[in-house]
Amino acid sequence: MVIKAGERGSDVSNPTKRIRWATQRVTGSKERHVRQSILDRFQHRKTTSSEKKRQSGDTSHLDGITEEPEESEAGDGHESSGRRIYFNIPLPDTAKDEHGHPITHYERNKIRTAKYTPLSFVPKNLWFQFHNVANIYFLFVILLGIYWIFGNPNPALSSVPLIVILFLTSIKDGIEDWRRTVLDNELNNAGTHRLVDWNNVNTSEDNVSLWRRIKKATTHSIISTYQSWSFKRKGSAAGGKGYAERAMDNRPSIDTRQSHRASVFSVQSGASKDGIKMTPVPSPQPEARPHVQNERLAVGDRPPTSFSFEHDDNALTANGHSSQIGKSGKDFVPKFYGSIVDPFKQVSGRARFKSDHWKSVQVGDFVRIYNEDQIPADIVVLATSDPDGQCYVETKNLDGETNLKVRQALHCGRTMKHAKDCEKASFVIESEPPNVNLYQYSAAARWTQRDIRKPEEPGTEMAEPISINNLLLRGCSLRNTDWVLGVVVYTGQETKIMLNSGITPSKRSRIARDLNRYVVYNFVVLFFMCLVSGIVQGVTWAKSATSSDFFEYGSIGNGPAMDGFITFWSCVILFQNLVPISLYISLEIIKTAQAFFIYSDTFMYYDKIDYPCTPKSWNISDDLGQIEYIFSDKTGTLTQNVMEFKKCTINGVPYGEAYTEAQAGMQRRQGIDIEVEGAKVHKQIAEDRVRMLQDLRKMHANPYLHDDELTFVAPDFVNDLGGFSGVEQKTANKNFMLALALCHTVITERTPGDPPTIEFKAQSPDEAALVATARDCGFTVMGRSNDGIILNVLGEEQEFTVLNTLEFNSSRKRMSAIIRMPNGKIMLYCKGADSVIYSRLRPGEQSQLRRLTGEHLEMFAREGLRTLCIACKELEEEEYQTWNKEHDLAAAAIVDREDKLEAVSDAIERELTLLGGTAIEDRLQDGVPDAIALLGDAGIKLWVLTGDKVETAINIGFSCNLLNNDMDLIVFKIEDDKLESAEAELDGHLEGFGLKGTDDELQVARKDHSAPDPTHAIVIDGDSLKLVLENQLRQKFLLLCKQCKSVLCCRVSPSQKAAVVRMVKNGLDVMTLSVGDGANDVAMIQEADVGVGIAGEEGRQAVMSSDYAIGQFRYLQRLILVHGRWSYRRLAETIANFFYKNIVWTFALFWYQIYNNFDVTYLFDYTYILLVNLAFTSLPVIFMGILDQDVSDKVSLAVPQLYRRGIERKEWTSLKFWTYMLDGIYQSVICYYMGHFLFAPARFVTGNGLTINDRPRVGVFIACATIVVVNTYVLMNTYRWDWLMLLLTAISILLIWFWTGVYTAFASSLQFYKAAPQVFGQLSFWAMILLTVGVCLLPRFAAKAFQKLYLPRDIDIIREQVGQGRFQHLDRYEAYVPPGKLPSAASSEVSQPAKPQHRGGKALDDDERPMYPPSVANTGTTHNPRSQTGSDGTDYTGHRRSLEQLPRPSFDRPVRPSFERMRDSMDRIRPSFEASNDFTSAALLTRLESSHSGTPTRRTLHGSSSLR
């Protein structure tokens, strides 16, 4: 039955808080935790390509918007053209194969993040491990040793080191993968409710491959064996049930509480007992009223059905079918949406919703989701428990946001509630193919609408568009909604979360990349050693008339050439230790320990959100010690992303008192004592706060006004709202607050209490701050009714109908809401960037107001506040109805829906009337200025890449020590967008530095790692940056930036951020680090050598793709200057010592070959060769890499200049490598020849008359001496000599004595039997070791002494000062705090009891905030007294019209201290940015006219001015 009723629509969400039904299924905390843990691994890259660049032309006209054809070709199984999903409709022949099965095969909903299966683990793991060249080499050596001809004395024993390494690595990989497998199984076996006993024509149950059956059987057998073993071991714990069985259990709440909520389905259809017999949804009676939290919000006089006629959701541009309202403005015209439920369809009635596994869900299934459940697949919403078809989802698992999003059910499906309705629903969904875009989705539902009054007629073809607002994405969680009924369109690997779960690009540290080159050098050395041995042996055995003729019975190869060939490969086995197989696993151990120390550092623990510094990539810790450039986002990274509404301008009158950090920085540059000034200002603000609160409560006893949450301190605003300055200003103030309270997409949640509280859930914290300020001033958003928004306006409750919401996006830079007022008028409220709003104002009007508002916004921006404009427009009924038809056509489009909606929205947002502007403060995080200063002292250059406008970024730059008054500030702005103009300006600036941008200059710049003089800084906007990043200009721009102390890139997109990082990283060959907190920062985080994510209080987007995650920006100084420097120095020293010790050992064997004609005789027992790297020399060098410290963490922070050695990469160089190699060769000569010459002149006879000059015992002499020398050498290169390091060195040295004693005690050692007591009992043995150690280490000791005495490095001087006690004052601090860190004088905490935190969303990109610092205003260049233009740096060199001609209305009004203080400060110093222009940014706004203001004849880019 088609019900025709008046449409009373709401484009936005109903934010009233829902009460959970008594039978609500409660998911166990463990289950939610497990799901959360695995879904956290899917959080990675988020697409940043959602911005659509609109082209100039006639696209602003609506002529091109046509309704899409309702019929399209039947699906042919090709995903490239989308997919057709059929529901209770037989597949067409073109969609079936010859067996009648569907041609299109969809992905299973079972996902696997694990690498291995029980069948594939061994071969696959070995395959991955043998990607390591060293493993391949040692496998080759083992295979050579199998053949006796190559002289390996014990082939089986020679494989032990490789087997141990492969085994340990496989154990580690297996444990990691087993954990992934367990989590995969937990997720795949999680419970959901799926419609069963009906025919899903889109899939075939019979199509299971043989290989899949084998894998399933193997897996089931292993799991069954494990479970039975666990059951026997644990007894009857958990009833013997595994997770899969528990997930299949029926809902306990239904079983135990059926008396509270009877099943409609069980009453009507009598389903069997093995499933959930009834859908746990109450049957609404005709007289029933929807349950809401407050009776005031209840819906009355609704039709006796849940069918809703409101248009679509959440103010997005998707399918907003607006209400058709009669010309009277009060009579509603019915609008029919149709229904996919076929009332004449005969059904079996056997279908029911049953608890099933996630992995069983298939494309085309009907599923029911309950409150707090996670979404198992990508699902189109058909119906919800909300009468308006709304539901709330939390997308934290998807993009890190904790604020709730609103999703809307299709109008055609809102009548559905029961399983029988699903059987009767006959429709087709035409969907786009799977793609990675999380924020767009295009599809359409098509069905045949039957008229119940005319059953004999065939029906009418109908369609409804489906957008992202009708789609629930896998991984999201349902919140504040009792249930949702939907159909599955994407499963498994085709869901958007899985398509976006690409692994973060693998990064290798610079040392690791260089290490391969040095390993190749070792291979080259090994090759020549083997080659020499082979040649000499072949030549020697070719000689005749030698003693070998009498003692040898021919050679193995029966010829010189073959003898040499065999000797070559035998030497590969003998000298195998030259290539350090244990080096790689040792480095893994070291880097794992370093990552653990970073994670365990309590001084980088952010207790506010319970977040430590978390390494995500464990293998690049040494890169942290070589960072030269840091690229930082501003909002949420340098600032707190906690928005506080501070000021506004209404009808040309400024309101609000604040003392911002940017303002304090400006006064500091003027020489004002900001401590005194700050105290005075905060006292005044505190007094004004008390007065304002008193006046607000006199005007209206607002129960939702909380003293500690008031951020907008303006008692004069309250007076004017009460009529103190006349009716005009009172009306303007009221309209302004109404605009703030109506133009938004905020969701409200009320918490009863005394006093009650209202929480605002917004998509950005800016929006929540605006709505919260409106609440504080008496315009409280109470929630949403079926018709719109309910406001409490100064104690009087009023309802405003939301007709349409035109939401913000990055290209529009504004959002609008079309509201029907209580008096029947239709108003459009719009807020956005100042340049965008000004270009759409009614031309020729409000010239004085424009100028005043522009001046106020300019001053707000210079105080470091984020500004936006508010405007409105009254619409005639006929004008709105005509436009709304075009809007409906655009919303119904399947192709290019977003572009068409943007065009139709642009048409209505013209001829606006300016109301005023707002200013919001996003304060700096604690410790940011000191951290930046400390990093600068270390030689690190910091670039800020932000979406903020130029003026705001500059003031933040001054606040956080990036800029100062002594700098020549170059504001790079290309007005005509031509490459020639950009090149000319670049050439002019380069000429000032004596540069031309040549390749030779670039090569010089690549070698120069010194910090530039703090005389220049660059500020560039996104449009100009796009030009200078072109190939022909990139090098010149890079060289210009190289000469500047600071670089601020404003209004940049995510792709531009990544391009800047890439330009510096590749152009200058430097180590880069990017730090950000939002999804817009992911691109630059992944582009940099090291990516650091800020774990903000709301979002985790950047953290998901970062290498390190920290809670606050200030922790970056400790991460880099302490842990980074330590890790780099430790690893560099470890690798050098590793190569050294292998050279000493291997060349000692090589020298012995000289005296046996290179016949590959083993000087050392073969067990020595195997254990030298595994046991005898491993501990000291590994713990050097883990524990060594040259200076403490406090001294590292106190003397940040120590870090510069890492920037210059002096700890690991080719010179150092070859120095250690030569030192090792020298020491190998001493180690061997000390033993050689010991035995050369005499024969040693023991007490029993036996000699000890045989080869194995001579090998003991030389091997023990070599081990002592190597371990002592490592200790000598270690800075930190504590008891642990000395103990480890002693253990390593004593291990060879222990092994020799144990091994030679058994007769199985053959010729080595009793060698230990025989050798160790000789005085000559101990004397030789002592002498060998002295001779070997003396040159190194002498060189170190000479260098430290006569050529000391910075670290040597600092260590000497530490020894002298000059840093003892640091011991007073638990962790070193840089001097000069004082509480900010601009801190708002001084003047208010508690810091209000208006948060409702993630840290969005500055370009993507609905209320962002506006203005693409033209700015020039500020020059200091050294500039060539003659500017003294204290005033504008150009025209000063805008401020000097500003009338001072405040003189005739109550005093506004903050406004006058700011104006006086600017009048005195003018630290502005317009020296090269004849107008300021405020003046530019007054002259900004655009085709947007009238009927357009062509499409222009938003934000562009006709002045360009």
Side-chain angles (χ1 to χ4, degrees), residues 928-1037:
V928 165
D930 294 311
I932 291 177
L934 202 64
L935 293 171
D937 292 339
I940 299 174
K941 298 87 176 174
L942 179 67
W943 291 21
V944 175
L945 312 179
T946 178
D948 266 337
K949 69 184 203 177
V950 172
E951 289 87 346
T952 304
I954 289 177
N955 278 299
I956 293 296
F958 278 108
S959 301
C960 60
N961 292 341
L962 281 175
L963 307 176
N964 59 60
N965 262 346
D966 297 327
M967 286 185 177
D968 188 349
L969 193 59
I970 303 172
V971 179
F972 205 90
K973 180 76 173 178
I974 308 302
E975 296 296 337
D976 54 9
D977 293 334
K978 293 182 179 178
L979 287 176
E980 295 78 10
S981 302
E983 185 171 15
E985 186 160 349
L986 279 174
D987 290 338
H989 290 301
L990 285 172
E991 187 177 353
F993 294 101
L995 301 175
K996 296 183 178 180
T998 63
D999 293 340
D1000 292 338
E1001 293 171 346
L1002 181 61
Q1003 292 301 319
V1004 173
R1006 288 167 68 97
K1007 297 178 182 178
D1008 180 17
H1009 299 283
S1010 61
D1013 295 331
T1015 57
H1016 292 79
I1018 287 182
V1019 179
I1020 185 170
D1021 68 351
D1023 293 334
S1024 302
L1025 185 63
K1026 180 175 65 175
L1027 297 176
V1028 299
L1029 288 178
E1030 294 290 336
N1031 290 334
Q1032 57 267 45
L1033 300 183
R1034 186 185 304 145
Q1035 182 169 309
K1036 292 184 177 180
F1037 177 66

Side-chain angles (χ1 to χ4, degrees), residues 990-1174:
L990 285 172
E991 187 177 353
F993 294 101
L995 301 175
K996 296 183 178 180
T998 63
D999 293 340
D1000 292 338
E1001 293 171 346
L1002 181 61
Q1003 292 301 319
V1004 173
R1006 288 167 68 97
K1007 297 178 182 178
D1008 180 17
H1009 299 283
S1010 61
D1013 295 331
T1015 57
H1016 292 79
I1018 287 182
V1019 179
I1020 185 170
D1021 68 351
D1023 293 334
S1024 302
L1025 185 63
K1026 180 175 65 175
L1027 297 176
V1028 299
L1029 288 178
E1030 294 290 336
N1031 290 334
Q1032 57 267 45
L1033 300 183
R1034 186 185 304 145
Q1035 182 169 309
K1036 292 184 177 180
F1037 177 66
L1038 179 59
L1039 287 171
L1040 178 61
C1041 293
K1042 184 73 170 63
Q1043 308 303 316
C1044 297
K1045 178 70 173 177
S1046 301
V1047 177
L1048 281 73
C1049 300
C1050 310
R1051 296 293 195 185
V1052 291
S1053 66
S1055 59
Q1056 286 179 317
K1057 292 182 178 183
V1060 171
V1061 176
R1062 191 181 310 114
M1063 173 190 71
V1064 175
K1065 181 178 71 172
N1066 298 333
L1068 296 178
D1069 187 29
V1070 295
M1071 299 296 294
T1072 58
L1073 180 147
S1074 294
V1075 55
D1077 72 315
N1080 56 301
D1081 303 315
V1082 168
M1084 75 170 182
I1085 283 175
Q1086 295 186 341
E1087 181 63 41
D1089 294 290
V1090 179
V1092 177
I1094 301 289
E1097 297 182 25
E1098 299 296 342
R1100 294 289 192 275
Q1101 304 93 319
V1103 166
M1104 296 170 188
S1105 300
S1106 65
D1107 302 306
Y1108 293 89
I1110 57 178
Q1112 291 276 276
F1113 180 87
R1114 66 179 182 272
Y1115 298 145
L1116 201 61
Q1117 63 184 9
R1118 187 172 180 88
L1119 179 64
I1120 293 176
L1121 301 183
V1122 178
H1123 292 283
R1125 196 181 69 83
W1126 280 350
S1127 297
Y1128 171 57
R1129 204 205 62 79
R1130 288 167 176 170
L1131 215 61
E1133 199 64 36
T1134 295
I1135 295 173
N1137 281 272
F1138 224 105
F1139 282 121
Y1140 149 81
K1141 70 185 183 69
N1142 285 353
I1143 284 289
V1144 176
W1145 182 263
T1146 306
F1147 268 86
L1149 290 170
F1150 181 78
W1151 305 132
Y1152 175 67
Q1153 302 304 311
I1154 297 175
Y1155 299 95
N1156 57 20
N1157 295 329
F1158 289 92
D1159 64 354
V1160 201
T1161 302
Y1162 284 64
L1163 172 62
F1164 304 141
D1165 184 81
Y1166 194 66
T1167 59
Y1168 284 3
I1169 295 176
L1170 297 179
L1171 295 176
V1172 62
N1173 279 325
L1174 288 179

Side-chain angles (χ1 to χ4, degrees), residues 444-631:
R446 301 188 183 277
W447 72 97
T448 301
Q449 183 65 46
R450 304 285 298 276
D451 191 341
I452 194 171
R453 295 169 298 182
K454 302 176 181 179
E456 69 283 354
E457 293 188 359
T460 305
E461 298 296 324
M462 295 191 69
E464 180 175 347
I466 305 173
S467 75
I468 192 64
N469 306 301
N470 312 114
L471 190 69
L472 300 183
L473 300 183
R474 175 181 176 130
C476 299
S477 299
L478 191 65
R479 296 284 187 266
N480 293 356
T481 307
D482 296 313
W483 56 266
V484 162
L485 178 64
V487 290
V488 177
V489 291
Y490 299 135
T491 52
Q493 298 295 332
E494 293 180 339
T495 56
K496 289 183 179 291
I497 188 175
M498 294 303 296
L499 292 174
N500 279 273
S501 64
I503 299 174
T504 302
S506 179
K507 297 180 181 180
R508 298 182 64 203
S509 66
R510 179 181 289 271
I511 288 184
R513 297 194 299 266
D514 291 344
L515 184 59
N516 286 337
R517 183 170 76 252
Y518 296 112
V519 171
V520 170
Y521 292 159
N522 275 25
F523 271 113
V524 172
V525 173
L526 175 64
F527 173 79
F528 280 105
M529 291 171 66
C530 297
L531 183 63
V532 170
S533 299
I535 293 175
V536 172
Q537 199 272 348
V539 171
T540 301
W541 280 83
K543 292 180 180 180
S544 59
T546 62
S547 61
S548 61
D549 294 339
F550 301 97
F551 297 100
E552 300 290 346
Y553 297 95
S555 63
I556 296 177
N558 296 320
M562 184 56 66
D563 288 342
F565 177 79
I566 294 173
T567 300
F568 177 90
W569 294 112
S570 299
C571 287
V572 170
I573 299 175
L574 176 63
F575 303 142
Q576 60 182 281
N577 290 122
L578 190 63
V579 178
I581 184 174
S582 58
L583 173 60
Y584 293 96
I585 194 170
S586 298
L587 294 183
E588 289 296 323
I589 295 172
I590 291 170
K591 290 181 177 181
T592 300
Q594 290 174 349
F596 174 75
F597 289 149
I598 290 174
Y599 178 79
S600 304
D601 191 340
T602 57
F603 298 125
M604 293 191 293
Y605 171 74
Y606 190 37
D607 56 355
K608 190 172 185 180
I609 58 173
D610 188 27
Y611 202 86
C613 178
T614 306
K616 301 298 185 85
S617 299
W618 290 11
N619 61 336
I620 60 172
S621 56
D622 48 296
D623 278 352
L624 287 171
Q626 306 170 71
I627 301 300
E628 184 170 353
Y629 282 85
I630 293 178
F631 300 90

